[in-house]
Amino acid sequence: MNNRKEFIVALVREAQAMILAKIDANYNVDIKGGNQSDLVTEVDVSVEEFLVGRIQAAYPNDGFITEENTVPIEDKEYVWIIDPIDGTMNFVYMLRDFAISVALYHNKVGQIGVICDVVNDEMIVGVLNEGVTLNDKPVKNVQPVTLREAIVDVSLRTIVGLEKKGIADLTKMSSSILSHRNMGSAALRLAHIGLGRIHMYISDTLCIWDFAAGLVILNELGAYHNFLEDEIVFDAKRTDLLASNNKTILDELKENFYI
Ligand code: IPD
Ligand code: CA
Ligand code: CA
C-alpha cells in the first residue's frame, strides 16, 4: 500500500498546485441540475481529469467513483473515490476552505484517505492500520470531549432537512453544546474532527466522494461515525453522515434531539 500512498500524495500535491494557479483566473462556473448551491467549475473538471488520467496510467485495472463523472463508475477490486474540489462554493466565493479529497478502497474497505486543504497547505493522510499524518507529522488519537465541550458543524439545510423528515430537531441542541459552525467542506470538516479542531459533523446531503477519505482518517484516529442508512452507499446517491469525536456524544445527541 505504501507505493500507492506515495503515488497519490505526490499526485494530490500536483493537483493542489494546479488549483492554486487557477484560483484568481477567470473560469466558467455552472449550476448542477438547477440547484443554485451545487456548483461546478472548469477547474473541478480539469483537476478530476488530471487525477483520473494519471491514476489510470499507473493502475490500469483500478475503478473509480468521481463527483464530476469524467470516468464511469466501475466496481473493481481497487476503487479510487475522488472529489476534485470539495467546497466549490468556498473556492468560487471565498478563495479558501476547500479541499481535494481522494480515497482508495479495496473490496469496499477504506485503505488510504488523502485530504488536502489547498490554501492552508495542509495535507492530511490516513492509511488503514498505519495512522494519520498532517504534513508528514504523525497525528495523535482524538481526545474524548463531552457534548457540552463539543463544537458541532451542521448546515441550516441539514437542520431543516432532518426536521422535515421527522428525524431530529437540532435547533434545540444549541444550549447543550459549546458552539456551532458550518464551514462548507465536508471533507475538511471530517479531517478537522480527526485533528481535534471540532468534535461533530452532521449532514444529510452527502455523497460518497464527500466522506470516503475522511472516514479512513477518522477510523485511524479513534473517532466515530454512522449513517442513518447503516452502510456506505457505493454510488452517487445522496446520504447522511454523523461523525463525531466519540460515540458517547453522538448517542447523547440522538437521545436528546431525535424526534
Ligand atoms: C459539498 C460540500 C458541502 C456539503 C455538500 C457537498 P462540493 O461538496 O462538501 O459542505 O454540504 O453537501 O455537496 O459540491 O463542494 O464538492
Ligand atoms: Ca463534495
Ligand atoms: Ca466537488
Side-chain angles (χ1 to χ4, degrees):
M1 204 49 66
N2 259 345
N3 286 349
R4 284 173 184 263
K5 180 192 116 183
E6 273 150 35
F7 163 80
I8 195 61
V9 170
L11 194 62
V12 169
R13 281 268 177 234
E14 284 189 59
Q16 177 189 16
M18 271 176 80
I19 297 174
L20 285 172
K22 294 271 176 68
I23 200 163
D24 283 323
N26 285 325
Y27 48 76
N28 272 341
V29 182
D30 285 326
I31 290 164
K32 284 195 213 171
N35 178 355
Q36 297 280 350
S37 61
D38 202 358
L39 304 179
V40 58
T41 74
E42 278 173 52
V43 187
D44 297 67
V45 176
S46 62
V47 169
E48 184 175 301
E49 281 170 345
F50 166 76
L51 292 168
V52 168
R54 291 279 289 272
I55 295 170
Q56 276 175 331
Y59 299 103
N61 297 322
D62 291 1
F64 292 89
I65 302 176
T66 68
E67 176 165 21
E68 308 308 344
N69 296 313
T70 62
V71 61
I73 292 182
E74 267 194 291
D75 192 13
K76 297 280 188 74
E77 188 182 350
Y78 283 98
V79 174
W80 296 89
I81 304 174
I82 300 175
D83 191 340
I85 299 183
D86 180 59
T88 301
M89 180 79 81
N90 289 355
F91 169 66
V92 171
Y93 289 99
M94 292 162 45
L95 312 181
R96 70 200 70 226
D97 296 330
F98 57 87
I100 302 164
S101 177
V102 180
L104 177 65
Y105 277 61
H106 177 252
N107 293 332
K108 299 194 165 43
V109 178
Q111 307 293 313
I112 301 173
V114 179
I115 295 175
C116 175
D117 181 334
V118 173
V119 173
N120 288 312
D121 196 21
E122 289 192 324
M123 180 79 80
I124 303 107
V125 181
V127 179
L128 181 65
N129 299 327
E130 289 179 25
V132 173
T133 54
L134 165 60
N135 290 347
D136 298 323
K137 295 203 179 84
V139 176
K140 289 197 183 117
N141 270 18
V142 293
Q143 289 298 309
V145 298
T146 63
L147 193 57
R148 195 69 198 76
E149 295 165 329
I151 298 176
V152 178
D153 189 305
V154 57
S155 70
L156 274 175
R157 185 160 299 172
T158 288
I159 293 174
V160 171
L162 292 179
E163 211 263 324
K164 268 194 185 153
K165 287 180 237 169
I167 294 170
D169 183 356
L170 297 182
T171 54
K172 291 195 186 134
M173 79 177 172
S174 65
S175 55
S176 304
I177 60 175
L178 180 62
S179 196
H180 157 257
R181 300 282 185 279
N182 183 223
M183 184 191 230
S185 163
L188 264 188
R189 272 333 210 180
L190 296 179
H192 288 183
I193 292 178
L195 299 175
R197 295 177 186 172
I198 67 156
H199 311 100
M200 200 182 283
Y201 177 74
I202 306 165
S203 177
D204 70 343
T205 64
L206 299 184
C207 293
I208 190 165
W209 45 76
D210 298 311
F211 56 78
L215 295 194
V216 178
I217 290 166
L218 292 178
N219 287 341
E220 282 304 300
L221 293 172
Y224 179 77
H225 74 268
N226 71 18
F227 300 89
L228 291 180
E229 296 183 24
D230 272 335
E231 56 176 38
I232 301 185
V233 186
F234 274 80
D235 61 17
K237 198 170 145 248
R238 294 249 155 207
T239 188
D240 65 90
L241 173 71
L242 295 89
S244 70
N245 166 283
N246 63 77
K247 182 174 186 302
T248 309
I249 59 172
L250 207 54
D251 287 346
E252 217 181 308
L253 177 109
K254 287 182 173 178
E255 208 171 287
N256 291 307
F257 307 110
Y258 267 38
I259 295 166

